[in-house]
Amino acid sequence: MKLCFYFVFALCLLAHVFIVVSANPLMLPTLKATKLHKIEPRKIPKVISPAGILSTTYYIKSCPNLEGIIQQKVNDWIKKDYTIAASIIRLHFHDCAVRGCDASILLNHAGSERAAQASKTLRGFELINEIKAEVERRCPRTVSCADILTAAARDATVIAGGPFWEVPFGRKDGRISLAKEANMVPNGHENVTTLIDFFQKRGLNIVDLVTLSGSHTIGRSTCISIQQRLDNFRGTGKPDSSMDVGYLNFLKKQCSRDTNFVNLDATTPRTFDEVYYKNLQTKKGLLQTDQLLYSDARTAPLVAALASQPQLFISQFAVSMVNLGNVQVLTGTKNGEIRHNCNYVNP
């Protein structure tokens, strides 16, 4: 019965992916006024969300080589250091999670998001700066840092073995960046209710939450982020009982120092695949927020569906990354700017 439920659930989720990716606007029948009711149609203003203004052809004339520039730079960096792929995806999430995808995480000044405690382990700033410098050389004052970071996250995903998706462009860069807001981003210790609420406030749903958590199929974490799970979980003086004993012992050896790194995916850390979800089913989720996804009734069926269907994970990841990239974007000349340097607002 349980397997049947997962099968039906997965089919519904797959249908959702197909609809989001390929659906055309609904063709509604035209209503004709009868002779008895000759009513002049009222002109209703069309309301377009900021995300609806974005376009995959936004720079096709003003900077036609943009995507090639970004792809080449990202590829060069990942060749030298494969761990930078996960870092760029994470940097993009931290940007979009605070004030939307406006490159506010890149601003480098006292009291900025970048200076927050929660941002201390973020990486990839130098790569974005290098891309921006080359883009400015070829297309001066044309491309926003927010668009560069969004496209770089896509290319990092593809190079790491994940899916490709078309990135809609047209975001503007924000002028405000506050450390206290960055410290509100989930850090691996929250419960599922808190995570769901955090995502919903940004227009993302529970499917996006579970799917985007799958980015932990690659990348690493510092040991300090999980130390309390290893020896003093919730002040009990004991390790987290939801962790596989063998995996627990392995992590204790790996984390002899808080500054050491451990892979987020215990099984296939260099492969972008669904094994991250299978690890949760065998109590091998590294972060507490990872493991809780399989113990909570609201998210466990999604974990099971994504674990059993690799293509479902790949397809939905592309959809959810587009959703993430559309969070509270700034568009138009009044809402933001195109920074000349990603580290500073324009003078």
Side-chain angles (χ1 to χ4, degrees), residues 213-259:
S213 296
S215 63
H216 291 170
T217 180
I218 57 174
R220 304 180 299 171
S221 172
T222 54
C223 285
I224 195 171
S225 298
I226 62 163
Q227 196 62 56
Q228 53 90 28
R229 293 192 73 197
L230 306 183
D231 49 35
N232 189 26
F233 185 61
R234 295 179 179 173
T236 61
K238 299 178 181 180
D240 186 350
S241 60
S242 69
M243 188 178 292
D244 174 79
V245 175
Y247 185 46
L248 171 65
N249 292 333
F250 167 77
L251 291 176
K252 283 184 175 181
K253 292 179 182 178
Q254 291 290 109
C255 292
S256 56
R257 292 185 298 176
D258 288 346
T259 53

mmCIF file of all heavy atoms in Angstrom, residues 213-259:
data_model
loop_
_atom_site.group_PDB
_atom_site.id
_atom_site.type_symbol
_atom_site.label_atom_id
_atom_site.label_comp_id
_atom_site.label_asym_id
_atom_site.label_seq_id
_atom_site.Cartn_x
_atom_site.Cartn_y
_atom_site.Cartn_z
ATOM 1 N N SER A 213 17.174 21.010 -1.580
ATOM 2 C CA SER A 213 18.039 20.369 -0.590
ATOM 3 C C SER A 213 18.913 19.322 -1.261
ATOM 4 O O SER A 213 20.002 18.988 -0.779
ATOM 5 C CB SER A 213 17.203 19.727 0.523
ATOM 6 O OG SER A 213 16.481 20.696 1.252
ATOM 7 N N GLY A 214 18.445 18.805 -2.394
ATOM 8 C CA GLY A 214 19.208 17.825 -3.155
ATOM 9 C C GLY A 214 20.499 18.364 -3.737
ATOM 10 O O GLY A 214 21.324 17.590 -4.235
ATOM 11 N N SER A 215 20.703 19.685 -3.684
ATOM 12 C CA SER A 215 21.990 20.240 -4.116
ATOM 13 C C SER A 215 23.116 19.738 -3.212
ATOM 14 O O SER A 215 24.290 19.808 -3.570
ATOM 15 C CB SER A 215 21.951 21.774 -4.085
ATOM 16 O OG SER A 215 21.750 22.256 -2.772
ATOM 17 N N HIS A 216 22.742 19.176 -2.050
ATOM 18 C CA HIS A 216 23.734 18.581 -1.146
ATOM 19 C C HIS A 216 24.236 17.239 -1.666
ATOM 20 O O HIS A 216 24.978 16.552 -0.970
ATOM 21 C CB HIS A 216 23.141 18.424 0.251
ATOM 22 C CG HIS A 216 22.899 19.717 0.944
ATOM 23 N ND1 HIS A 216 22.201 19.833 2.126
ATOM 24 C CD2 HIS A 216 23.255 20.990 0.610
ATOM 25 C CE1 HIS A 216 22.141 21.107 2.493
ATOM 26 N NE2 HIS A 216 22.764 21.823 1.591
ATOM 27 N N THR A 217 23.834 16.888 -2.870
ATOM 28 C CA THR A 217 24.409 15.707 -3.519
ATOM 29 C C THR A 217 25.887 15.940 -3.843
ATOM 30 O O THR A 217 26.633 14.996 -4.095
ATOM 31 C CB THR A 217 23.636 15.366 -4.802
ATOM 32 O OG1 THR A 217 24.209 14.214 -5.406
ATOM 33 C CG2 THR A 217 23.691 16.498 -5.826
ATOM 34 N N ILE A 218 26.309 17.220 -3.869
ATOM 35 C CA ILE A 218 27.722 17.570 -4.023
ATOM 36 C C ILE A 218 28.058 18.591 -2.933
ATOM 37 O O ILE A 218 27.175 19.112 -2.262
ATOM 38 C CB ILE A 218 28.037 18.162 -5.417
ATOM 39 C CG1 ILE A 218 27.157 19.403 -5.683
ATOM 40 C CG2 ILE A 218 27.859 17.119 -6.500
ATOM 41 C CD1 ILE A 218 27.506 20.138 -6.961
ATOM 42 N N GLY A 219 29.319 18.864 -2.752
ATOM 43 C CA GLY A 219 29.726 19.883 -1.798
ATOM 44 C C GLY A 219 30.131 19.327 -0.440
ATOM 45 O O GLY A 219 29.997 18.137 -0.156
ATOM 46 N N ARG A 220 30.621 20.246 0.401
ATOM 47 C CA ARG A 220 31.119 19.865 1.723
ATOM 48 C C ARG A 220 30.592 20.813 2.789
ATOM 49 O O ARG A 220 30.059 21.874 2.499
ATOM 50 C CB ARG A 220 32.647 19.907 1.744
ATOM 51 C CG ARG A 220 33.328 19.040 0.687
ATOM 52 C CD ARG A 220 34.839 19.156 0.780
ATOM 53 N NE ARG A 220 35.299 20.530 0.562
ATOM 54 C CZ ARG A 220 36.559 20.928 0.762
ATOM 55 N NH1 ARG A 220 37.470 20.052 1.163
ATOM 56 N NH2 ARG A 220 36.912 22.178 0.551
ATOM 57 N N SER A 221 30.760 20.385 4.040
ATOM 58 C CA SER A 221 30.392 21.212 5.183
ATOM 59 C C SER A 221 31.536 21.189 6.187
ATOM 60 O O SER A 221 32.289 20.213 6.264
ATOM 61 C CB SER A 221 29.112 20.680 5.842
ATOM 62 O OG SER A 221 28.847 21.351 7.063
ATOM 63 N N THR A 222 31.660 22.257 6.957
ATOM 64 C CA THR A 222 32.640 22.250 8.030
ATOM 65 C C THR A 222 32.120 21.397 9.179
ATOM 66 O O THR A 222 30.913 21.298 9.394
ATOM 67 C CB THR A 222 32.908 23.672 8.551
ATOM 68 O OG1 THR A 222 31.663 24.280 8.913
ATOM 69 C CG2 THR A 222 33.605 24.512 7.505
ATOM 70 N N CYS A 223 33.011 20.781 9.908
ATOM 71 C CA CYS A 223 32.619 19.900 11.012
ATOM 72 C C CYS A 223 31.890 20.638 12.124
ATOM 73 O O CYS A 223 31.056 20.047 12.827
ATOM 74 C CB CYS A 223 33.849 19.189 11.576
ATOM 75 S SG CYS A 223 34.458 17.850 10.518
ATOM 76 N N ILE A 224 32.180 21.920 12.289
ATOM 77 C CA ILE A 224 31.521 22.662 13.364
ATOM 78 C C ILE A 224 30.003 22.715 13.168
ATOM 79 O O ILE A 224 29.248 22.823 14.128
ATOM 80 C CB ILE A 224 32.106 24.096 13.481
ATOM 81 C CG1 ILE A 224 31.688 24.718 14.812
ATOM 82 C CG2 ILE A 224 31.692 24.959 12.296
ATOM 83 C CD1 ILE A 224 32.385 26.025 15.119
ATOM 84 N N SER A 225 29.569 22.583 11.921
ATOM 85 C CA SER A 225 28.138 22.629 11.622
ATOM 86 C C SER A 225 27.394 21.394 12.128
ATOM 87 O O SER A 225 26.178 21.427 12.318
ATOM 88 C CB SER A 225 27.909 22.770 10.108
ATOM 89 O OG SER A 225 28.472 23.972 9.626
ATOM 90 N N ILE A 226 28.119 20.299 12.343
ATOM 91 C CA ILE A 226 27.475 19.047 12.757
ATOM 92 C C ILE A 226 27.981 18.529 14.097
ATOM 93 O O ILE A 226 27.534 17.482 14.574
ATOM 94 C CB ILE A 226 27.681 17.942 11.700
ATOM 95 C CG1 ILE A 226 29.181 17.639 11.534
ATOM 96 C CG2 ILE A 226 27.050 18.330 10.375
ATOM 97 C CD1 ILE A 226 29.465 16.340 10.840
ATOM 98 N N GLN A 227 28.891 19.260 14.713
ATOM 99 C CA GLN A 227 29.544 18.767 15.929
ATOM 100 C C GLN A 227 28.549 18.380 17.017
ATOM 101 O O GLN A 227 28.695 17.358 17.690
ATOM 102 C CB GLN A 227 30.526 19.815 16.460
ATOM 103 C CG GLN A 227 31.527 19.266 17.467
ATOM 104 C CD GLN A 227 32.427 18.200 16.876
ATOM 105 O OE1 GLN A 227 33.102 18.441 15.879
ATOM 106 N NE2 GLN A 227 32.447 17.005 17.458
ATOM 107 N N GLN A 228 27.507 19.191 17.186
ATOM 108 C CA GLN A 228 26.531 18.898 18.248
ATOM 109 C C GLN A 228 25.753 17.609 17.982
ATOM 110 O O GLN A 228 25.254 16.976 18.910
ATOM 111 C CB GLN A 228 25.577 20.088 18.437
ATOM 112 C CG GLN A 228 24.888 20.585 17.172
ATOM 113 C CD GLN A 228 23.575 19.906 16.885
ATOM 114 O OE1 GLN A 228 22.894 19.444 17.799
ATOM 115 N NE2 GLN A 228 23.187 19.834 15.613
ATOM 116 N N ARG A 229 25.680 17.175 16.731
ATOM 117 C CA ARG A 229 25.014 15.905 16.423
ATOM 118 C C ARG A 229 25.878 14.712 16.841
ATOM 119 O O ARG A 229 25.368 13.616 17.043
ATOM 120 C CB ARG A 229 24.726 15.775 14.920
ATOM 121 C CG ARG A 229 23.709 16.735 14.356
ATOM 122 C CD ARG A 229 23.296 16.309 12.956
ATOM 123 N NE ARG A 229 22.435 15.133 12.991
ATOM 124 C CZ ARG A 229 22.197 14.351 11.937
ATOM 125 N NH1 ARG A 229 22.791 14.598 10.776
ATOM 126 N NH2 ARG A 229 21.395 13.304 12.043
ATOM 127 N N LEU A 230 27.182 14.943 16.970
ATOM 128 C CA LEU A 230 28.116 13.845 17.221
ATOM 129 C C LEU A 230 28.316 13.516 18.694
ATOM 130 O O LEU A 230 28.610 12.372 19.030
ATOM 131 C CB LEU A 230 29.480 14.174 16.596
ATOM 132 C CG LEU A 230 29.488 14.531 15.099
ATOM 133 C CD1 LEU A 230 30.914 14.761 14.626
ATOM 134 C CD2 LEU A 230 28.797 13.465 14.272
ATOM 135 N N ASP A 231 28.117 14.516 19.567
ATOM 136 C CA ASP A 231 28.417 14.224 20.974
ATOM 137 C C ASP A 231 27.483 14.849 22.004
ATOM 138 O O ASP A 231 27.466 14.420 23.153
ATOM 139 C CB ASP A 231 29.858 14.653 21.295
ATOM 140 C CG ASP A 231 30.159 16.071 20.818
ATOM 141 O OD1 ASP A 231 29.251 16.924 20.857
ATOM 142 O OD2 ASP A 231 31.299 16.315 20.398
ATOM 143 N N ASN A 232 26.709 15.855 21.606
ATOM 144 C CA ASN A 232 25.838 16.501 22.594
ATOM 145 C C ASN A 232 24.581 17.026 21.920
ATOM 146 O O ASN A 232 24.292 18.224 21.939
ATOM 147 C CB ASN A 232 26.582 17.643 23.297
ATOM 148 C CG ASN A 232 25.795 18.196 24.475
ATOM 149 O OD1 ASN A 232 24.973 17.515 25.091
ATOM 150 N ND2 ASN A 232 26.044 19.463 24.797
ATOM 151 N N PHE A 233 23.818 16.098 21.347
ATOM 152 C CA PHE A 233 22.649 16.489 20.563
ATOM 153 C C PHE A 233 21.563 17.056 21.476
ATOM 154 O O PHE A 233 21.092 16.399 22.395
ATOM 155 C CB PHE A 233 22.117 15.271 19.795
ATOM 156 C CG PHE A 233 20.979 15.593 18.869
ATOM 157 C CD1 PHE A 233 21.154 16.498 17.829
ATOM 158 C CD2 PHE A 233 19.739 14.991 19.022
ATOM 159 C CE1 PHE A 233 20.113 16.797 16.962
ATOM 160 C CE2 PHE A 233 18.698 15.274 18.167
ATOM 161 C CZ PHE A 233 18.876 16.179 17.132
ATOM 162 N N ARG A 234 21.207 18.296 21.209
ATOM 163 C CA ARG A 234 20.173 18.999 21.977
ATOM 164 C C ARG A 234 20.431 18.966 23.480
ATOM 165 O O ARG A 234 19.501 18.869 24.294
ATOM 166 C CB ARG A 234 18.788 18.431 21.660
ATOM 167 C CG ARG A 234 18.354 18.656 20.215
ATOM 168 C CD ARG A 234 17.005 18.061 19.914
ATOM 169 N NE ARG A 234 16.627 18.316 18.520
ATOM 170 C CZ ARG A 234 15.547 17.787 17.919
ATOM 171 N NH1 ARG A 234 14.742 16.982 18.625
ATOM 172 N NH2 ARG A 234 15.268 18.066 16.674
ATOM 173 N N GLY A 235 21.709 19.025 23.857
ATOM 174 C CA GLY A 235 22.063 19.102 25.266
ATOM 175 C C GLY A 235 21.924 17.809 26.041
ATOM 176 O O GLY A 235 21.995 17.797 27.268
ATOM 177 N N THR A 236 21.787 16.669 25.330
ATOM 178 C CA THR A 236 21.596 15.387 26.001
ATOM 179 C C THR A 236 22.909 14.754 26.449
ATOM 180 O O THR A 236 22.914 13.810 27.247
ATOM 181 C CB THR A 236 20.876 14.395 25.077
ATOM 182 O OG1 THR A 236 21.688 14.175 23.909
ATOM 183 C CG2 THR A 236 19.512 14.925 24.661
ATOM 184 N N GLY A 237 24.023 15.255 25.910
ATOM 185 C CA GLY A 237 25.314 14.642 26.207
ATOM 186 C C GLY A 237 25.538 13.378 25.409
ATOM 187 O O GLY A 237 26.532 12.672 25.600
ATOM 188 N N LYS A 238 24.635 13.088 24.479
ATOM 189 C CA LYS A 238 24.732 11.900 23.636
ATOM 190 C C LYS A 238 24.610 12.302 22.164
ATOM 191 O O LYS A 238 24.078 13.358 21.848
ATOM 192 C CB LYS A 238 23.625 10.902 23.992
ATOM 193 C CG LYS A 238 23.672 10.392 25.426
ATOM 194 C CD LYS A 238 22.515 9.445 25.690
ATOM 195 C CE LYS A 238 22.537 8.936 27.134
ATOM 196 N NZ LYS A 238 21.417 8.008 27.408
ATOM 197 N N PRO A 239 25.071 11.431 21.242
ATOM 198 C CA PRO A 239 24.942 11.749 19.808
ATOM 199 C C PRO A 239 23.499 11.649 19.337
ATOM 200 O O PRO A 239 22.641 11.088 20.023
ATOM 201 C CB PRO A 239 25.831 10.698 19.136
ATOM 202 C CG PRO A 239 25.903 9.569 20.114
ATOM 203 C CD PRO A 239 25.838 10.198 21.473
ATOM 204 N N ASP A 240 23.250 12.187 18.165
ATOM 205 C CA ASP A 240 21.925 12.144 17.553
ATOM 206 C C ASP A 240 21.565 10.694 17.225
ATOM 207 O O ASP A 240 22.240 10.041 16.434
ATOM 208 C CB ASP A 240 21.930 12.998 16.284
ATOM 209 C CG ASP A 240 20.556 13.141 15.646
ATOM 210 O OD1 ASP A 240 19.620 12.439 16.068
ATOM 211 O OD2 ASP A 240 20.425 13.955 14.714
ATOM 212 N N SER A 241 20.486 10.189 17.817
ATOM 213 C CA SER A 241 20.091 8.791 17.634
ATOM 214 C C SER A 241 19.550 8.508 16.233
ATOM 215 O O SER A 241 19.394 7.342 15.856
ATOM 216 C CB SER A 241 19.044 8.397 18.677
ATOM 217 O OG SER A 241 17.888 9.214 18.552
ATOM 218 N N SER A 242 19.236 9.562 15.477
ATOM 219 C CA SER A 242 18.708 9.357 14.128
ATOM 220 C C SER A 242 19.823 9.101 13.112
ATOM 221 O O SER A 242 19.550 8.907 11.931
ATOM 222 C CB SER A 242 17.891 10.579 13.689
ATOM 223 O OG SER A 242 18.729 11.707 13.477
ATOM 224 N N MET A 243 21.068 9.071 13.567
ATOM 225 C CA MET A 243 22.205 8.874 12.670
ATOM 226 C C MET A 243 22.686 7.422 12.711
ATOM 227 O O MET A 243 22.785 6.819 13.776
ATOM 228 C CB MET A 243 23.341 9.822 13.075
ATOM 229 C CG MET A 243 24.510 9.850 12.106
ATOM 230 S SD MET A 243 25.792 11.043 12.623
ATOM 231 C CE MET A 243 24.901 12.585 12.384
ATOM 232 N N ASP A 244 22.950 6.853 11.552
ATOM 233 C CA ASP A 244 23.501 5.511 11.451
ATOM 234 C C ASP A 244 24.783 5.410 12.279
ATOM 235 O O ASP A 244 25.646 6.302 12.208
ATOM 236 C CB ASP A 244 23.796 5.194 9.981
ATOM 237 C CG ASP A 244 24.502 3.872 9.794
ATOM 238 O OD1 ASP A 244 23.833 2.837 9.842
ATOM 239 O OD2 ASP A 244 25.748 3.902 9.625
ATOM 240 N N VAL A 245 24.914 4.348 13.064
ATOM 241 C CA VAL A 245 26.043 4.216 13.987
ATOM 242 C C VAL A 245 27.383 4.187 13.251
ATOM 243 O O VAL A 245 28.352 4.844 13.664
ATOM 244 C CB VAL A 245 25.894 2.942 14.853
ATOM 245 C CG1 VAL A 245 27.129 2.742 15.724
ATOM 246 C CG2 VAL A 245 24.641 3.048 15.717
ATOM 247 N N GLY A 246 27.438 3.449 12.162
ATOM 248 C CA GLY A 246 28.675 3.394 11.393
ATOM 249 C C GLY A 246 29.049 4.752 10.824
ATOM 250 O O GLY A 246 30.226 5.146 10.833
ATOM 251 N N TYR A 247 28.059 5.462 10.343
ATOM 252 C CA TYR A 247 28.286 6.800 9.792
ATOM 253 C C TYR A 247 28.713 7.762 10.901
ATOM 254 O O TYR A 247 29.609 8.581 10.714
ATOM 255 C CB TYR A 247 27.000 7.290 9.121
ATOM 256 C CG TYR A 247 27.112 8.607 8.390
ATOM 257 C CD1 TYR A 247 28.176 8.870 7.533
ATOM 258 C CD2 TYR A 247 26.133 9.592 8.550
ATOM 259 C CE1 TYR A 247 28.271 10.074 6.849
ATOM 260 C CE2 TYR A 247 26.212 10.801 7.866
ATOM 261 C CZ TYR A 247 27.285 11.031 7.026
ATOM 262 O OH TYR A 247 27.374 12.237 6.353
ATOM 263 N N LEU A 248 28.100 7.615 12.074
ATOM 264 C CA LEU A 248 28.456 8.435 13.233
ATOM 265 C C LEU A 248 29.927 8.250 13.593
ATOM 266 O O LEU A 248 30.663 9.233 13.797
ATOM 267 C CB LEU A 248 27.565 8.076 14.416
ATOM 268 C CG LEU A 248 27.932 8.697 15.776
ATOM 269 C CD1 LEU A 248 27.786 10.210 15.737
ATOM 270 C CD2 LEU A 248 27.064 8.091 16.877
ATOM 271 N N ASN A 249 30.380 7.019 13.658
ATOM 272 C CA ASN A 249 31.773 6.739 14.012
ATOM 273 C C ASN A 249 32.739 7.281 12.964
ATOM 274 O O ASN A 249 33.825 7.789 13.284
ATOM 275 C CB ASN A 249 31.973 5.238 14.198
ATOM 276 C CG ASN A 249 31.237 4.698 15.414
ATOM 277 O OD1 ASN A 249 30.999 5.431 16.380
ATOM 278 N ND2 ASN A 249 30.861 3.428 15.378
ATOM 279 N N PHE A 250 32.337 7.182 11.703
ATOM 280 C CA PHE A 250 33.153 7.723 10.609
ATOM 281 C C PHE A 250 33.303 9.236 10.761
ATOM 282 O O PHE A 250 34.404 9.786 10.628
ATOM 283 C CB PHE A 250 32.511 7.381 9.270
ATOM 284 C CG PHE A 250 33.084 8.139 8.104
ATOM 285 C CD1 PHE A 250 34.308 7.776 7.553
ATOM 286 C CD2 PHE A 250 32.406 9.230 7.554
ATOM 287 C CE1 PHE A 250 34.843 8.481 6.481
ATOM 288 C CE2 PHE A 250 32.932 9.942 6.489
ATOM 289 C CZ PHE A 250 34.157 9.564 5.951
ATOM 290 N N LEU A 251 32.198 9.923 11.054
ATOM 291 C CA LEU A 251 32.226 11.378 11.186
ATOM 292 C C LEU A 251 33.050 11.823 12.387
ATOM 293 O O LEU A 251 33.733 12.846 12.339
ATOM 294 C CB LEU A 251 30.798 11.930 11.285
ATOM 295 C CG LEU A 251 29.954 11.840 10.011
ATOM 296 C CD1 LEU A 251 28.537 12.325 10.279
ATOM 297 C CD2 LEU A 251 30.583 12.656 8.881
ATOM 298 N N LYS A 252 33.001 11.047 13.463
ATOM 299 C CA LYS A 252 33.795 11.398 14.647
ATOM 300 C C LYS A 252 35.285 11.389 14.318
ATOM 301 O O LYS A 252 36.052 12.228 14.806
ATOM 302 C CB LYS A 252 33.496 10.430 15.782
ATOM 303 C CG LYS A 252 32.164 10.697 16.491
ATOM 304 C CD LYS A 252 31.976 9.752 17.667
ATOM 305 C CE LYS A 252 30.713 10.083 18.443
ATOM 306 N NZ LYS A 252 30.519 9.186 19.613
ATOM 307 N N LYS A 253 35.706 10.443 13.480
ATOM 308 C CA LYS A 253 37.109 10.372 13.076
ATOM 309 C C LYS A 253 37.458 11.533 12.137
ATOM 310 O O LYS A 253 38.532 12.129 12.241
ATOM 311 C CB LYS A 253 37.385 9.044 12.385
ATOM 312 C CG LYS A 253 37.298 7.840 13.302
ATOM 313 C CD LYS A 253 37.560 6.546 12.537
ATOM 314 C CE LYS A 253 37.426 5.334 13.448
ATOM 315 N NZ LYS A 253 37.636 4.067 12.694
ATOM 316 N N GLN A 254 36.523 11.849 11.233
ATOM 317 C CA GLN A 254 36.759 12.919 10.266
ATOM 318 C C GLN A 254 36.786 14.286 10.938
ATOM 319 O O GLN A 254 37.476 15.201 10.478
ATOM 320 C CB GLN A 254 35.671 12.911 9.185
ATOM 321 C CG GLN A 254 35.710 11.719 8.251
ATOM 322 C CD GLN A 254 36.904 11.770 7.320
ATOM 323 O OE1 GLN A 254 37.844 10.994 7.459
ATOM 324 N NE2 GLN A 254 36.877 12.682 6.362
ATOM 325 N N CYS A 255 36.025 14.415 12.010
ATOM 326 C CA CYS A 255 35.854 15.721 12.646
ATOM 327 C C CYS A 255 36.651 15.853 13.938
ATOM 328 O O CYS A 255 36.130 16.297 14.977
ATOM 329 C CB CYS A 255 34.376 15.980 12.902
ATOM 330 S SG CYS A 255 33.416 16.211 11.391
ATOM 331 N N SER A 256 37.901 15.483 13.876
ATOM 332 C CA SER A 256 38.763 15.648 15.044
ATOM 333 C C SER A 256 38.996 17.126 15.342
ATOM 334 O O SER A 256 39.314 17.524 16.459
ATOM 335 C CB SER A 256 40.105 14.953 14.806
ATOM 336 O OG SER A 256 40.724 15.444 13.624
ATOM 337 N N ARG A 257 38.805 17.975 14.290
ATOM 338 C CA ARG A 257 38.874 19.423 14.451
ATOM 339 C C ARG A 257 37.645 20.057 13.809
ATOM 340 O O ARG A 257 37.165 19.601 12.770
ATOM 341 C CB ARG A 257 40.138 19.979 13.793
ATOM 342 C CG ARG A 257 41.438 19.569 14.480
ATOM 343 C CD ARG A 257 42.628 20.263 13.851
ATOM 344 N NE ARG A 257 42.771 19.898 12.442
ATOM 345 C CZ ARG A 257 43.697 20.422 11.634
ATOM 346 N NH1 ARG A 257 44.547 21.324 12.106
ATOM 347 N NH2 ARG A 257 43.772 20.045 10.379
ATOM 348 N N ASP A 258 37.148 21.120 14.433
ATOM 349 C CA ASP A 258 35.953 21.789 13.923
ATOM 350 C C ASP A 258 36.135 22.350 12.525
ATOM 351 O O ASP A 258 35.171 22.496 11.766
ATOM 352 C CB ASP A 258 35.537 22.936 14.861
ATOM 353 C CG ASP A 258 34.937 22.434 16.165
ATOM 354 O OD1 ASP A 258 34.608 21.244 16.243
ATOM 355 O OD2 ASP A 258 34.815 23.247 17.106
ATOM 356 N N THR A 259 37.375 22.668 12.172
ATOM 357 C CA THR A 259 37.639 23.292 10.877
ATOM 358 C C THR A 259 37.786 22.280 9.732
ATOM 359 O O THR A 259 37.936 22.682 8.581
ATOM 360 C CB THR A 259 38.920 24.143 10.953
ATOM 361 O OG1 THR A 259 39.998 23.337 11.462
ATOM 362 C CG2 THR A 259 38.712 25.342 11.873
#
